[in-house]
Amino acid sequence: MRMSLDSVRAGESPAPPFWILLLGVVLGCAWAAGPAVQFTDVTQQAGIKFAHNSGRSGKRYLPETMGSGAAFIDLDGDGWPDILLLNSKDFTPRGRRSLAALYRNNKNGTFTDVTAGSGLDVEMYAMGVAVGDFDNDGREDIYITALEGDRLFHNEGNGKFRDVTAASGIRNANFGTSAAWVDFDRDGKLDLFVANYVQWSPKTDLWCSLDGATKSYCTPESYKGTSSKLYRNLGGGKFADVTAQAKLADPNSKSLGIAVLDYNNDGWPDLFVANDTQPNKLYRNNRNGTFTEEAVAAGVAFGEDGVARGAMGVDAADYDRSGRAHLLVGNFSNQMLGLYHNEGSGLFVDEAPRSAVGKSSLLSLSFGVFFFDYDLDGYPDIFAANGHLDEEIGRVQPKIQYRQLPLLFHNMGNGKFENVSAFTKALVGRGAAYADFDHDGDLDVLITNNHGPAVLYRNDGGNRNHWLNVKLTGTKSNRSGLGAVVRVETDTGKQWQTVHSGSSYCSESDRALVFGLGAATTVKSLEIEWPSGQKQRRVNVAANQFLNITEGAN
């Protein structure tokens, strides 16, 4: 389906003529009537008034280029996604406070700023966010990576959060970026993986230049790496650093993105870590508290030329219904996106160079990337938020822009993608997340803009196809349902998704799984495989509804 500049609100067009439906079946195309999908900028009318402060000091410090992330979080448990936007702060004090922004969903397409008094109204140089119920009390907690030291906030209810970092035992002040909650040992308690970038401080900032005369931002190649961290949940609000014990310690890594996936389908969560100018890492879960690194053997450590790329954000999904999780990686300009197809033998093949995905993303610098089914045809599409690091890049590379347009690739259903991008607002895109914030069935997009305003795009027309929204609550498994696999079958085939944290860049999308059903009005079977080993099944589930399923309940 190609993007259109014609604005179409869901539900306003009449039913399609029978011959159009018949033609779609004959051609094997996804059912989609009327004008194509449009993403409409509704930031202002939704009440989102947020501008990120990178802390520009005139000294061109490395962190100023990185941006901050965002999260969709159901902070009050009402089933409607709320929004958290992270902020940085001034390196040189200017007598102002730069705070994160917490917005409560008003359930009518608008949001209310509830930051003041929330406990999240704390100034910090924040980078990334991960959302998960670490103490299984039924409320989603928040972990924020920050330059001066990460913070763990416990959800107290009523929109209030309490900083429990000191009591938790988490000590990460290593230029943390993305983070993900994951029950890596399947004991029912959420553990935490934190991607760390490089060894940097204002005192150790280096002088670099694009033209040999004026200072520019250094690349990460100029700095030493630092190991990411794995914190095991001990219960009682306590965590232990088990990085070395789990065989994840790597002082050379420069990590920006983390995807939790089960790439070998053994039922245990593995980890893919996107590294900037260092080889990517693929950690296979050994099911005994340790991991084995297999990126080189799997073909995901480097680009096609055997050189480590500038990898940023990452996501994983089964985009071709092969039954296997594939990888999407955002890379530096002149490197194109990585689209690694899981061959099922422990090997991945990058399909981007031979596809529209590679050709269309060559000049983009992609940070937040993810798979999502924007038109609900049953095949995950691709989104990328883009933007360069240096405002002066156009002087030395005329084809590369500082502000860049987001990219959208439509999944054509045969393992191929087409570029359907029609965004007109160029951004210094960084974090990106998706959710159905207005409960109309289709997925909307939130983008953070480095040193600029965040943008909320409403999906208009995506719900012309049918859908099913599934939200899980664990009992024996972790309360957030992370690691649970949901499989659905309709007349058009089978799909599956895993509930996961992390992915994209420094951001977190809504926890609910949205399945595009195309023309199908009924899901013949819905099966859930919980991390505890328990399985549940429902049959003949009606489309176009929000399902809340608790582990073990009928």
Side-chain angles (χ1 to χ4, degrees), residues 81-103:
D82 308 297
I83 288 175
L84 173 64
L85 291 160
L86 301 186
N87 212 341
S88 302
K89 65 179 183 179
D90 293 324
F91 282 105
T92 302
R94 300 181 182 180
R96 61 178 179 177
R97 297 182 75 211
S98 298
L99 303 177
L102 183 64
Y103 289 95

Side-chain angles (χ1 to χ4, degrees), residues 58-115:
K59 298 180 180 180
R60 297 192 171 247
Y61 286 153
L62 176 63
E64 298 171 9
T65 67
M66 305 306 295
S68 301
F72 281 108
I73 169 177
D74 185 1
L75 66 94
D76 48 12
D78 64 357
W80 291 72
D82 308 297
I83 288 175
L84 173 64
L85 291 160
L86 301 186
N87 212 341
S88 302
K89 65 179 183 179
D90 293 324
F91 282 105
T92 302
R94 300 181 182 180
R96 61 178 179 177
R97 297 182 75 211
S98 298
L99 303 177
L102 183 64
Y103 289 95
R104 185 186 66 236
N105 194 324
N106 296 326
K107 307 179 186 179
N108 61 2
T110 69
F111 293 81
T112 297
D113 188 335
V114 294
T115 313

Side-chain angles (χ1 to χ4, degrees), residues 19 70 113 186 202 220 240 266 284 325-326 386 396 400 408 434 449 516:
W19 69 268
D113 188 335
R186 289 176 43 174
D266 67 352
R284 174 172 53 82
H326 315 293
N386 309 306
V396 293
I400 307 296
L408 183 67
Y434 60 83
N449 191 14

Side-chain angles (χ1 to χ4, degrees), residues 258-488:
I258 169 68
V260 180
L261 74 161
D262 180 9
Y263 76 91
N264 56 358
N265 288 336
D266 67 352
W268 290 74
D270 309 305
L271 303 172
F272 178 85
V273 182
N275 279 318
D276 190 0
T277 70
Q278 286 291 310
N280 298 323
K281 302 295 181 180
L282 180 63
Y283 293 105
R284 174 172 53 82
N285 192 325
N286 295 325
R287 300 182 283 184
N288 61 2
T290 69
F291 292 80
T292 298
E293 207 287 297
E294 298 186 334
V296 173
V300 296
F302 307 101
E304 264 198 338
D305 55 3
V307 177
R309 292 170 169 173
M312 313 296 176
V314 62
D315 195 17
D318 181 6
Y319 67 77
D320 62 352
R321 298 192 180 183
S322 64
R324 300 183 294 271
H326 315 293
L327 285 164
L328 173 68
V329 182
N331 291 311
F332 208 78
S333 52
N334 295 313
Q335 294 180 341
M336 72 181 65
L337 289 169
L339 182 62
Y340 295 98
H341 185 271
N342 186 342
E343 300 293 298
S345 58
L347 179 68
F348 290 74
V349 175
D350 190 356
E351 299 288 347
R354 293 173 290 279
S355 72
V357 173
K359 296 174 184 176
S360 299
S361 63
L362 181 60
L363 299 181
S364 298
L365 199 168
S366 300
F367 275 83
V369 298
F370 52 72
F371 291 104
F372 76 138
D373 188 358
Y374 77 86
D375 59 349
L376 302 173
D377 65 354
Y379 290 89
D381 310 298
I382 290 174
F383 178 86
N386 309 306
H388 210 275
L389 306 181
D390 199 305
E391 290 178 282
E392 304 298 319
I393 187 62
R395 290 197 298 112
V396 293
Q397 296 186 48
K399 292 184 178 180
I400 307 296
Q401 303 297 315
Y402 176 56
R403 291 178 176 81
Q404 300 177 1
L405 297 173
L407 289 171
L408 183 67
F409 296 95
H410 178 244
N411 190 332
M412 300 168 67
N414 55 2
K416 305 294 183 182
F417 292 85
E418 60 177 338
N419 183 1
V420 294
S421 306
F423 294 94
T424 58
K425 180 182 291 186
L427 306 169
V428 189
R430 293 297 184 260
Y434 60 83
D436 180 10
F437 82 84
D438 52 0
H439 272 205
D440 66 350
D442 50 33
L443 292 168
D444 314 296
V445 174
L446 177 68
I447 306 175
T448 67
N449 191 14
N450 191 33
H451 206 72
V455 184
L456 179 64
Y457 285 104
R458 185 185 62 209
N459 183 330
D460 290 337
N463 59 3
R464 294 180 155 306
N465 281 320
H466 298 296
W467 51 273
L468 189 68
N469 184 302
V470 182
K471 180 69 177 293
L472 301 183
T473 301
T475 52
K476 292 183 179 179
S477 304
N478 66 85
R479 191 69 177 261
S480 295
L482 293 176
V485 178
V486 179
R487 304 181 189 277
V488 301

Side-chain angles (χ1 to χ4, degrees), residues 133 136 183 186-190 472-485 528-536 550-552:
D133 183 1
N136 290 326
D183 185 3
R186 289 176 43 174
D187 65 352
K189 300 185 294 291
L190 290 183
L472 301 183
T473 301
T475 52
K476 292 183 179 179
S477 304
N478 66 85
R479 191 69 177 261
S480 295
L482 293 176
V485 178
I528 305 170
E529 300 166 6
W530 296 91
S532 66
Q534 185 166 347
K535 295 184 178 181
Q536 284 175 258
T550 299
E551 183 178 11

